[in-house]
Amino acid sequence: MNYNKKTVKDIDVKGRKVLLRCDFNVPQDKATGAITDDKRIRAALPTIQYLLDQGAAVIACSHLGKPEPSFDKWAKKQAEKGKDPASLTKEKWEKTLEALCMEPVAKRLGELLGRDVVLAGDVVGPDAQAKAAALQPGEIMLLQNTRFEKGETKNDPELAKAMAGLAGADGVYVSDAFGAVHRAHASTAGVAAYLPAVSGFLIEKELEIMGGALADPKRPLVAILGGSKVSSKIGVINHLLDIADMIIIGGGMAYTFAKAQGGSVGTSLLESDWLDYCNEMIAKAKEKGVKLLLPVDTLCAKEFSAEAEPVLHDTMAIPGDMMGMDIGPKTIEAFSAAIQGAGTVIWNGPMGVFEFANFAGGTRAIAQALAGTDAITIIGGGDSAAAVAQMGFADKMTHISTGGGASLEFLEGKELPGVACLLDQ
């Protein structure tokens, strides 16, 4: 995949309308609709401010949540969940859409920018068209939730053409929603067929740092992979075995590796269908000369509970009535030593059930080791990013990716539709 893409600095935007795809999919309080974390809005500010300062008129857009734009499909899904079909009215469906409108986002964006943000009542309808036509250089508007349109997730070319049309014949498309670039949607990829497309500063940074770590890393390159399932990291492990010097496996996925080697893992999370795959990866690591580090000791518990008492066992000999919950002290020591000798470290996935204080030690120790090394440290989004932030180590990392699924697919070496569509340098 080509990571060398044109950015907003490579194109003249003065006096032009810019369709800007952001990631404003922010968490909200279910009762009040208030935004509980505006990090994603703040992340878009440098690109927005640059465009406004350069004299562009900015038409921002984003999805928010997972609205179902079709009443029939919504009713069918609710019925499948056991809801009484007679109670599934259009009014209830409309309320679900209303809860995912962009008003709170527009309000918070305006507060952060210190200027008015014009909010459209639709995505490509009459209100959006009128407000886009009236938008002047140095002004910004926000379209309604892109997923209110049925064609958004299907990358419908007619919808993409209509969205691009809001920017006019001389318009520009700027992609700055890294968290959504792995999806070929109308607003993330389709619009690039109708407008010159470049990246914003957020995507530029992701491509520069993560792309650089994969294409030409400072060595040794150490990849730390955790999380619950081997199946979700198949492609990542396989791809990293071709480029890494060492791979460290932790989290729930480690128990499938232990079982594959003949270990006893008790009631630990286990994917029996992937035992052969684990052995294949172990063999591939030996063949490639990649050091593969697996846990040697494990903090276990009799039940999945925050109050459960931690009991230490050998990872290959977990009692039948116990489950692995976190890596143990010998494993922490070995993993931390490996990190200290690294040139570049990529971390994706926690080492244990870090949400429970009794089993957060392994994830915290890895975060501390990364914070204390001179290596380039990259956190691949998702739970590991949340853990690093929660534990107070965020400012000690070289880069924390803004994408969850996008980061995983990036590490897997997959082509990301929302990046592939951008103009090459």
Side-chain angles (χ1 to χ4, degrees):
M1 181 174 165
N2 179 17
Y3 305 124
N4 198 17
K5 297 293 183 177
K6 287 191 175 181
T7 77
V8 285
K9 288 190 174 178
D10 296 315
I11 197 164
D12 182 14
V13 297
K14 186 175 182 179
R16 302 169 79 176
K17 285 175 180 165
V18 173
L19 180 65
L20 172 66
R21 181 49 158 98
C22 301
D23 183 5
F24 291 153
N25 186 28
V26 291
Q28 294 173 277
D29 184 280
K30 287 185 179 179
T32 65
I35 294 170
T36 56
D37 185 350
D38 66 1
K39 183 164 66 254
R40 288 177 176 172
I41 300 176
R42 290 178 180 273
L45 296 181
T47 297
I48 293 173
Q49 195 61 61
Y50 174 83
L51 290 169
L52 294 173
D53 290 346
Q54 293 298 308
V58 178
I59 304 167
C61 65
S62 174
H63 73 285
L64 179 61
K66 295 181 178 179
E68 178 48 71
S70 162
F71 167 70
D72 290 337
K73 283 189 179 179
W74 172 81
K76 184 181 179 182
K77 285 182 180 178
Q78 294 301 308
E80 287 170 352
K81 291 178 183 177
K83 299 287 176 69
D84 178 10
S87 70
L88 303 175
T89 64
K90 283 200 172 181
E91 287 74 20
K92 283 190 178 178
W93 166 64
E94 286 167 356
K95 281 188 177 180
T96 68
L97 297 183
E98 191 179 315
L100 294 174
C101 283
M102 303 299 288
E103 281 86 346
V105 174
K107 182 174 182 290
R108 184 61 185 139
L109 179 59
E111 290 169 352
L112 292 169
L113 286 171
R115 66 174 72 206
D116 291 336
V117 174
V118 178
L119 179 65
D122 46 34
V123 182
V124 291
D127 194 53
Q129 290 177 34
K131 286 173 177 171
L135 202 67
Q136 297 299 307
E139 294 180 343
I140 179 170
M141 67 177 283
L142 178 63
L143 302 179
Q144 260 307 333
N145 191 335
T146 58
R147 290 191 184 171
F148 284 177
E149 291 287 339
K150 294 177 185 178
E152 162 68 342
T153 57
K154 296 173 183 176
N155 195 10
D156 176 46
E158 289 303 312
L159 175 60
K161 187 176 182 180
M163 292 187 76
L166 297 174
D170 193 37
V172 176
Y173 172 64
V174 175
S175 175
D176 214 28
F178 185 73
V181 292
H182 59 307
R183 302 185 180 107
H185 290 177
S187 69
T188 60
V191 291
Y194 306 97
L195 295 172
V198 299
S199 80
F201 296 133
L202 199 59
I203 285 185
E204 179 189 26
K205 186 180 179 186
E206 296 277 5
L207 296 181
E208 182 183 329
I209 297 179
M210 287 188 68
L214 296 177
D216 186 23
K218 180 183 176 185
R219 294 193 180 273
L221 170 59
V222 176
I224 307 170
L225 300 173
S228 58
K229 296 181 177 181
V230 172
S231 57
S232 65
K233 302 272 169 73
I234 302 167
V236 177
I237 298 171
N238 199 36
H239 182 59
L240 289 177
L241 279 170
D242 290 330
I243 57 176
D245 299 291
M246 179 186 294
I247 294 180
I248 294 172
I249 302 285
M253 60 194 292
Y255 308 118
T256 301
F257 273 89
K259 182 71 173 179
Q261 295 174 90
S264 300
V265 297
T267 60
S268 304
L269 189 64
L270 176 66
E271 291 183 286
S272 300
D273 293 346
W274 296 97
L275 297 176
D276 289 344
Y277 171 79
C278 289
N279 284 325
E280 285 172 19
M281 292 302 99
I282 292 169
K284 183 175 178 178
K286 286 180 182 176
E287 179 192 327
K288 294 273 186 181
V290 177
K291 192 167 184 183
L292 186 64
L293 283 187
L294 296 164
V296 294
D297 58 349
T298 298
L299 279 185
C300 303
K302 288 198 172 183
E303 59 182 19
F304 189 82
S305 164
E307 288 74 39
E309 182 184 348
V311 183
L312 187 64
H313 285 286
D314 187 292
T315 303
M316 298 292 280
I318 297 174
D321 64 343
M322 303 204 86
M323 64 181 74
M325 299 282 276
D326 194 15
I327 55 174
K330 287 181 182 176
T331 303
I332 287 173
E333 187 178 345
F335 287 6
S336 298
I339 289 166
Q340 292 313 312
T344 304
V345 184
I346 299 173
W347 180 21
N348 187 286
M351 296 292 99
V353 189
F354 75 94
E355 299 91 339
F356 298 162
N358 284 348
F359 305 101
T363 300
R364 183 178 292 105
I366 295 303
Q368 279 180 316
L370 263 66
T373 183
D374 292 329
I376 295 166
T377 51
I378 299 168
I379 314 301
D383 286 341
S384 37
V388 165
Q390 180 184 309
M391 294 172 178
F393 295 107
D395 62 339
K396 300 289 198 305
M397 305 302 161
T398 306
H399 178 65
I400 298 178
S401 179
T402 55
S407 299
L408 266 183
E409 292 198 17
F410 202 126
L411 294 177
E412 198 172 332
K414 282 187 175 179
E415 183 174 86
L416 306 176
V419 173
C421 69
L422 305 180
L423 295 171
D424 293 336
Q425 283 281 15

